[in-house]
Each structure stands twice: as C-alpha cells, then as structure tokens.
Amino acid sequence: MHISDGVLPPAVALGGFVVSIGSAVWSVRRTNPENLPKIAVVTSAFFVASLVHVPIGPTSVHLLIPGLVGILLGNSAFLSIFLGIVLQSFLFQFGGITAIGANAFMMGIPALMAGWVFQLMKGGSLGRYVLAGALSGALGVTLAVVFLALLLVTGGEDFFGVARIAMVAHIPVIVIESAVSAFTVSFLYKVKPDLLDDSLAAVRMP
Amino acid sequence: MICLRSGKSKLGEFLLLCLVLTVMVAFYVKAYGLDNATASSATIEGASRNEKGSDETCERLAVLLDQQKAQLLRETGQLKREIAALRDDLSKPGVKEIFAGIGYILGLVGVAFYFHCRRTQGRRPEGDEAQLK
C-alpha cells in the first residue's frame, strides 16, 4: 500500500513532506514524554506489522494497523507512524524514499482520526469499548485507502477507479484489522485500562 | 631341468623349449592377436554394411541430440526459475532488518526519554558536580 518512487509528481511529494513534518512537530508537542516507552513499543509493532501478508488471488496485501496505533497512542500516533514509515522505507524498501512524506501523511492522518473516533466513542462498558475499537480499526484502513486514492489522483489516475480497486483489495485487511483492534482493546480493558485512557487534552512540551 | 642337462635328453630339452615357446605365443595371441583378428574381420565384413548403416547411425545420433537438447532446455528452465525465486527471497526483509528497525526505534525513543528525564530531574552530569566540590 505504500507509494513507490516516481509515482507522485514532485510537487505532491514535496507537499507531502511539508505536511508530514509539520504534523510530526505538532504530534511531538502533544506527546506526553511519560508515554515514550509505550510509543516505542507501538511503533515497533507498526513497523513489523507490514510483514504479515494476506494473500488476495495472485498478489497479497499486508496488515497496516493505523487504527490500532491511533487507539493506543492518541495524539502521538502521527509521530509513531512517521518514524515507522521512515524505517520501513530505508530498511524494508517499502515505499520510495521520496514518497516518505506522502506515505506518512496517508497513514498518519487516518491513525489520528481513528484515535479521535475511539476517544469519542468509548464508553463505560466493555462492549462499547470493543465496538469502538473495531470501528476505529476499520476506519483507519478505510481512510488510508481513501487518502491513497487521493494521492494517486494527483499522479493522473482516476479517483473512483483506484479507490474501488484498492478498497476491494483491502476488504480482508479491514476485517482482520477490526478484529485485531477489537481483541486488543478488550484485552487491555481487562488487564490495563490506563493504556486506553489517552486524554485528548494537549500536553505542551516546555 | 637338471636331469635333462645330464645329457641324456637333448630331445627332452628341445621339447621343453618348444613347450615354452608355444605357451608364450599362445599368451601373445590371446592378449593382442585376437583383437587384431576380430578388428580386421569386422572391417572386412563391415565394409559392405557400413554404407547402409551410416544413415541409420546418423538418424540415431540426430534423435539422441534432440533428446539431449530437450533435457538441457528443461534443466536451464528449472535453473532460471530457481534464480527468480532466489532473487525474490533475497528482496524480502529478513530477520536482520526487523532487528535493525526495532533497534533504531528503541534507540531514538530512548534518547528522547533520556533527555526528558534529565530535564525533569534537573540532574547535572557527574563531572560538573565533582568540579563544584
């Protein structure tokens, strides 16, 4: 799902970098430094998750977990995903180096949105938490696909065509991710609910 | 031999010599002479057959060459498939890259956490404290 080198026009790639670095700075300012170990673990999970392949016919798509990253990290999610994308690009050659900005934008903003949706939807009971988790997980991937189609439009592709193909290819991923998010949320609710209580309030770094 | 030398039997001596010579000749014929005999007979006999047989041998050789070529093509095709699979395997991220990435993440976040701790604890490095004393 990561965009490779040479697909996007230079203006879009550069714009992607600008937006991503700006969002990363925003995310850093809103990071509670006490959460840094949690951020490290979730970033590692995001980094490795793309190795889990789901075969679709002749090819395969891979797991993304922007939704889960958003649920667990809240406002720090963009930082985590930016770091994950940079390392994936350099070490795994997933996505081109010039497309890092666009890829981070494509994954990071849906993660933030999924996190916000989770914080808004979560409630008192386990069932509501699990439902919120599943919805956020599915929303994360869906929005990522939409953003992918938007970015590819700038390269001259037909938006609805690309969006339809990408969505159809990622339906198994959406199902698996909502299940994974739901299970994770339910497990954390029972074991350590504090991890899910990421406050929406901004934490400005001094 | 000794009793033969006693003079009585020059005939015996002669007969013994003939026996030895016969054995040697028989040995020689068995080792070398027979081949020559069969080879020469083959060439004599086969001269008449060779003109008809050369066409058959040519056809047989052509068939064998075709079979060999097909076998080699199969094997090189197999090798090319294996090379493509190997190239594919090499391009996949391995355990090395996973550990590298996790190391980078933990390292960078660890450094950030260290500076945060320094700021909140307000601790000076050990060297400065020693100098202050």
Side-chain angles (χ1 to χ4, degrees), chain A residues 8 28 83 135 137:
Chain A
L8 297 171
V28 164
L83 187 58
L135 203 70

Side-chain angles (χ1 to χ4, degrees), chain A residues 87-189:
Chain A
L87 284 171
Q88 276 179 351
S89 173
F90 280 113
L91 288 169
F92 290 174
Q93 281 87 44
F94 270 17
I97 294 180
T98 56
I100 286 178
N103 280 327
F105 168 72
M106 176 179 79
M107 294 280 169
I109 306 288
L112 285 176
M113 290 181 172
W116 295 333
V117 163
F118 178 75
Q119 295 297 329
L120 288 171
M121 270 199 61
K122 73 178 185 188
S125 67
L126 170 68
R128 198 143 166 223
Y129 264 89
V130 167
L131 190 66
L135 203 70
S136 305
L139 190 70
V141 182
T142 313
L143 283 175
V145 167
V146 169
F147 275 59
L148 172 72
L150 277 170
L151 282 169
L152 290 178
V153 162
T154 63
E157 306 275 345
D158 161 45
F159 172 72
F160 283 111
V162 169
R164 204 177 313 139
I165 295 172
M167 194 67 73
V168 165
H170 281 91
I171 282 176
V173 175
I174 293 176
V175 168
I176 293 176
E177 286 216 11
S178 59
V180 165
S181 305
F183 275 120
T184 312
V185 165
S186 99
F187 176 73
L188 287 174
Y189 182 82

Side-chain angles (χ1 to χ4, degrees), chain A residues 32-37 39-41 43-45 47-48 51 83-84 87 91-94 205-206, chain B residues 91-94 96-102 104-106 108-110 112-114 116-117 119-120:
Chain A
N32 186 353
E34 299 296 317
N35 281 336
L36 277 172
I39 293 174
V41 172
T43 309
S44 306
F47 173 71
V48 173
L51 295 172
L83 187 58
L87 284 171
L91 288 169
F92 290 174
Q93 281 87 44
F94 270 17
M205 296 262 287
Chain B
S91 69
K92 279 200 193 105
K96 259 190 265 183
E97 281 83 16
I98 297 175
F99 276 113
I102 294 180
Y104 261 108
I105 291 168
L106 294 178
L108 288 168
V109 173
F113 200 46
Y114 169 72
H116 161 70
C117 283
R119 203 179 308 128
T120 51

